[in-house]
Every structure is written in structure tokens, then in C-alpha cells.
């Protein structure tokens, strides 16, 4: 057998007679052989299966497909045809797999092709949502069918082994902190705005934790990037303005907020420690920033001109942000600890609206009435 080029290997991932032939690299884990290959997207929906929804959990090898995740995954592929990225699928093959190396010795023993009978069953161990999204994306853009995705093939050793593989593959999966997701996201305009605020805006520069979404007790930072993102997202919600204008407006707004919260400036001057401010006040916490952003959105909707909304923002000076202010208990605090629930966010927004003499929305009024009745 000659040594095929990488492009030739990819081209062989088609059906031949009664077999599928995939280019592959052979490996060994825990004493078991497995194979890594490239599979055209057009074949993914045809040969890779996942357990039927009607089966009970104990006889399935995979969780039930969450169809609510599919639209976002599908749009991700369709909207980013030039730079989408999908990690490898992992599949168990219930059937024979015959590996043919391109050489009998050396490195060539590990590279070659695998032959799998068409009658074999391919069961997804990891990547069922990616598989389903690929299927949907192909319906909208069939040209994607010639692109490829990495697939890791294992021998199917029975239900118990497949279930264990699923458990092991997901056992140590950790979702990255939201802050680092914002830091590395170059598609989301709001993520770009949040990063620029954190790096350039005098209010935030040097005082934003860019990677973690929580702050260590002794951290010298005041804010997290994820909280700046969420707050600015609320601030700009529904405003139909260009990105450059949005960036400028966000900087103007947070600089105006900075003028009515003196502790932020004291930290920049090193007259107060960031840890002390976070301990004694709530205005650096995500729920407070988010609530301020919501208030700002109301002001900006009335007018984007700073000369109109900026004087109204001065009313925030009347807010006692200290944790010792009993008004926060049940709103931003539960048992003295900051709560990030949607209800507590709304109650915090309500409190700020009342201090600023702004009207509550019907939904905010409903939550406020329940709180005052003691139902919250």
C-alpha cells in the first residue's frame, strides 16, 4: 500500500461496496485500540446515531437530546461558515473494525485506514448535540457537506462500557468562567465593548478581573469582566445604535456613574483597598452593576444625549450602598450575602428606581408588590 497524502486520506472517507473506509490514525488507551479519523459532514447524520428518547435512562448510553440547544448551535455554524470550530465526536462501533497501516514498521504502522461494515451501528458517546446541529445546518447549507470533523472511534463493548464512557468523558468537564469567555469572544460586539471598557475606560482600567468570574477575598480588583459585560448589555439593550456609538455611550455612562460613587475613585487613588470596598459595599458586585445598567437603559431610551440623562443620574448619590443598610436585605442580600437571582436583581432595580423617582414597569411592580406582602 502506498503512502497517501492527507488530502487523499480525507477523500477515502466514503462508502466502498459494503464497507465504510475512513482514513485513520491508530492509538491505544487503557490497553484498548481506538482510531482517530476525519469524516465528511454529509455522512454525520447518516451513520452516527444516538439513543431514542423513549428509552429509559438505565438502558440508554447517552442523555436525551436537548432540542432547545440546537437552534443556537445550528446558527453558529450557518452564521460563521469561514471560522466555526467543532471539537471531535466520540463514537462506539458495534461491529468489526479492520485497520490497515500504510507500512508494516515504524510510524506507518499507526497511520492508514479502517474498514467498517455498513451493517455496523455507530453510537455517539460524546457530541450528540453537535451531530444534530450539523444535520440541521446541512439542510440550510448543503455545501458544508464536504467539510470534515474529527471522529474518535472505539469498539462497542456493550451498554455498560458505553455508559461508563459517557460518564468518564463528562466527569471532569468544567465550563470555563464566563469572564474568560467574554475575553476570548471576538464575534460578540458586546464582548468587544466590555473588553475595551475594561482596558481603556478610566473607571475600570486596571481594576477588572479578566479571567475569573469571582474575586478572591484579597484581590485588588473591583469588578469582574463578566459583570461589566452583563451590566453593559443591560445598559445598551434595545438601543439601535452602531458599535462605535455604543462604545462611546457606554464609556460616558460608566464615567458618569463613577462620579456619584466616590469609593471607586478612592480605590484608584489607593486611599481605600479594593477588598475593603467589596466587603463593605455592594456597588462593585455584579447584581448592583447589572441593576445600574438597567436604570441607565431607561435613561438612555429617553435620550442618548448626556446633557439630558446625566443630571438624572446624580440622584444615585442618595443611595446608601453599604452592606449595613438594612434596605438591601431581601433585595440584593439574603442573610447578609449577595444574591444573584433574577428576583433579587429586579428588587434591586426597583429600589434604585424608587430612589431616583423613576416609574416601575408592570413586571417590576408585580415583583415589588409580592416582596412587600412578604411573598418573595
Amino acid at each position: 500500500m502506498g503512502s497517501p497524502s492527507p488530502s487523499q486520506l480525507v477523500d477515502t472517507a466514503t462508502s466502498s461496496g459494503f464497507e465504510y473506509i475512513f482514513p485513520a490514525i491508530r492509538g491505544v488507551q487503557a490497553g484498548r485500540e481506538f482510531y482517530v479519523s476525519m469524516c465528511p459532514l454529509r455522512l454525520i447524520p447518516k451513520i452516527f446515531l444516538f439513543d431514542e428518547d423513549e428509552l429509559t435512562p438505565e438502558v440508554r448510553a447517552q442523555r436525551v437530546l436537548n432540542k432547545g440547544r440546537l437552534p443556537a448551535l445550528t446558527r453558529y455554524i450557518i452564521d460563521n461558515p469561514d471560522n466555526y470550530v467543532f471539537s471531535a465526536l466520540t463514537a462506539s462501533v458495534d461491529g468489526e473494525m479492520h485497520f490497515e497501516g500504510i507500512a508494516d514498521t515504524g510510524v506507518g504502522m499507526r497511520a492508514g485506514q479502517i474498514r467498517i461494515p455498513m451493517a455496523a451501528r455507530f453510537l455517539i458517546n460524546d457530541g450528540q448535540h453537535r451531530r444534530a446541529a450539523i444535520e440541521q445546518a446541512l439542510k440550510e447549507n448543503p455545501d458544508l457537506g464536504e467539510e470534515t470533523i474529527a471522529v474518535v472511534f472505539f469498539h462497542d463493548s456493550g451498554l455498560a462500557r458505553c455508559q461508563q464512557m459517557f460518564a468518564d468523558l463528562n466527569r471532569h468537564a468544567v465550563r470555563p468562567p464566563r469572564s474568560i469567555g467574554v475575553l476570548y469572544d471576538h464575534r460578540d460586539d458586546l464582548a468587544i465593548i466590555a473588553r475595551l471598557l475594561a482596558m481603556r475606560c478610566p473607571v475600570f482600567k486596571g481594576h477588572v478581573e479578566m479571567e475569573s468570574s469571582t474575586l478572591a477575598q484579597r484581590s485588588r480588583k473591583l469588578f469582574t469582566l463578566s459583570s461589566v459585560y452583563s451590566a453593559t448589555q443591560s445598559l445598551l439593550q434595545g438601543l439601535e445604535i452602531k458599535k462605535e456609538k455604543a462604545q462611546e455611550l457606554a464609556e460616558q455612562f460608566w464615567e458618569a456613574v463613577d462620579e456619584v460613587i466616590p469609593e471607586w475613585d478612592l480605590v484608584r487613588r489607593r486611599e481605600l483597598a479594593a477588598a475593603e470596598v467589596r466587603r463593605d459595599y455592594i456597588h462593585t458586585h455584579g447584581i448592583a452593576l447589572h441593576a445600574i445598567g438597567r436604570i441607565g437603559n431607561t435613561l438612555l431610551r429617553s435620550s442618548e444625549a448626556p446633557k439630558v440623562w446625566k443630571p438624572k443620574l446624580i440622584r444615585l448619590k442618595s443611595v446608601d450602598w453599604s452592606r449595613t443598610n438594612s434596605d438591601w436585605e431581601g433585595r440584593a442580600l439574603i442573610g447578609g450575602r449577595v444574591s444573584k437571582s433574577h428576583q433579587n436583581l429586579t428588587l434591586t432595580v426597583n429600589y434604585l428606581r424608587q430612589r431616583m423617582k423613576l416609574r416601575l414597569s408592570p413586571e417590576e411592580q408585580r415583583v415589588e408588590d409580592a416582596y412587600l406582602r412578604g411573598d418573595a
Side-chain angles (χ1 to χ4, degrees):
M1 179 186 301
S3 298
S5 68
S7 62
Q8 289 172 322
L9 284 175
V10 171
D11 290 339
T12 63
T14 58
S15 59
S16 175
F18 297 95
E19 295 179 322
Y20 289 110
I21 302 176
F22 297 92
I25 297 175
R26 176 170 54 183
V28 177
Q29 282 185 5
R32 294 183 174 92
E33 281 195 0
F34 71 99
Y35 310 97
V36 180
S37 182
M38 297 294 154
C39 184
L41 296 189
R42 58 184 167 78
L43 281 184
I44 297 299
K46 296 178 182 178
I47 64 175
F48 292 99
L49 307 175
F50 48 82
D51 289 328
E52 293 80 9
D53 291 357
E54 61 266 19
L55 294 178
T56 57
E58 60 270 21
V59 296
R60 287 201 311 264
Q62 177 61 279
R63 57 188 163 193
V64 173
L65 188 71
N66 181 355
K67 295 180 180 178
R69 291 179 57 188
L70 297 185
L73 275 173
T74 303
R75 292 309 329 157
Y76 166 68
I77 305 172
I78 295 296
D79 295 344
N80 301 283
D82 297 327
N83 57 5
Y84 73 93
V85 178
F86 266 178
S87 56
L89 304 178
T90 302
S92 292
V93 179
D94 184 7
E96 293 184 4
M97 289 193 289
H98 179 65
F99 178 79
E100 298 174 347
I102 60 176
D104 296 329
T105 59
V107 177
M109 296 177 62
R110 298 182 180 273
Q113 60 187 24
I114 50 173
R115 294 178 178 270
I116 303 174
M118 284 188 173
R121 186 169 181 261
F122 297 77
L123 178 68
I124 292 281
N125 298 112
D126 183 59
Q128 63 169 350
H129 291 91
R130 275 165 278 157
R131 174 226 174 269
I134 288 170
E135 181 176 13
Q136 294 298 318
L138 287 171
K139 293 177 181 178
E140 293 191 42
N141 184 3
D143 292 340
L144 291 168
E146 296 307 311
E147 298 196 358
T148 56
I149 187 170
V151 181
V152 183
F153 292 101
F154 288 89
H155 282 285
D156 188 335
S157 301
L159 178 63
R161 173 62 181 165
C162 287
Q163 290 177 334
Q164 188 62 59
M165 285 176 63
F166 175 82
D168 289 347
L169 287 166
N170 290 277
R171 184 186 306 275
H172 303 296
V174 178
R175 191 178 183 89
R178 191 168 181 223
S179 284
I180 201 168
V182 174
L183 180 63
Y184 291 164
D185 192 340
H186 296 270
R187 291 195 181 96
D188 184 355
D189 287 344
L190 275 168
I192 295 172
I193 290 173
R195 284 200 302 275
L196 291 176
L197 285 172
M199 293 186 288
R200 298 195 319 199
C201 182
V203 179
F204 300 116
K205 185 177 179 180
H207 294 279
V208 175
E209 167 56 51
M210 304 293 280
E211 184 170 351
S212 176
S213 293
T214 58
L215 291 172
Q217 186 174 358
R218 296 184 180 181
S219 172
R220 296 180 180 181
K221 308 295 185 182
L222 277 175
F223 317 97
T224 64
L225 183 59
S226 59
S227 64
V228 173
Y229 175 91
S230 296
T232 304
Q233 183 180 46
S234 287
L235 173 69
L236 301 174
Q237 185 74 36
L239 298 180
E240 297 181 359
I241 52 179
K242 294 182 178 180
K243 184 172 69 174
E244 294 76 13
K245 174 65 175 176
Q247 180 76 44
E248 178 185 353
L249 201 55
E251 288 190 18
Q252 290 175 339
F253 176 78
W254 291 117
E255 287 174 6
V257 171
D258 182 62
E259 293 176 9
V260 296
I261 302 182
E263 291 80 16
W264 293 2
D265 184 52
L266 292 175
V267 171
R268 290 197 300 273
R269 292 199 211 175
R270 301 186 179 182
E271 295 179 25
L272 271 179
E276 294 177 11
V277 172
R278 295 197 312 274
R279 181 194 64 201
D280 298 336
Y281 300 90
I282 71 163
H283 47 48
T284 63
H285 291 267
I287 188 173
L289 281 184
H290 199 154
I292 293 171
R294 286 259 294 263
I295 296 296
N297 183 257
T298 299
L299 300 180
L300 294 183
R301 282 176 180 271
S302 63
S303 174
E304 295 172 14
K307 65 180 180 181
V308 176
W309 56 259
K310 193 172 180 180
K312 298 178 182 178
L313 206 56
I314 295 176
R315 296 173 186 168
L316 278 178
K317 281 188 173 182
S318 67
V319 176
D320 180 0
W321 295 99
S322 64
R323 283 176 179 260
T324 56
N325 178 8
S326 59
D327 290 346
W328 295 124
E329 184 60 38
R331 292 185 183 272
L333 305 176
I334 299 294
R337 299 178 65 87
V338 174
S339 172
K340 299 178 181 179
S341 74
H342 177 74
Q343 178 173 279
N344 287 110
L345 171 61
T346 301
L347 289 169
T348 302
V349 171
N350 291 353
Y351 183 76
L352 297 183
R353 288 199 192 282
Q354 291 165 354
R355 301 296 296 184
M356 298 180 68
K357 298 179 171 53
L358 298 174
R359 183 179 301 175
L360 275 59
S361 71
E363 174 62 19
E364 290 168 344
Q365 189 63 59
R366 183 192 67 77
V367 173
E368 186 70 17
D369 291 343
Y371 171 74
L372 294 176
R373 290 195 307 268
D375 297 341

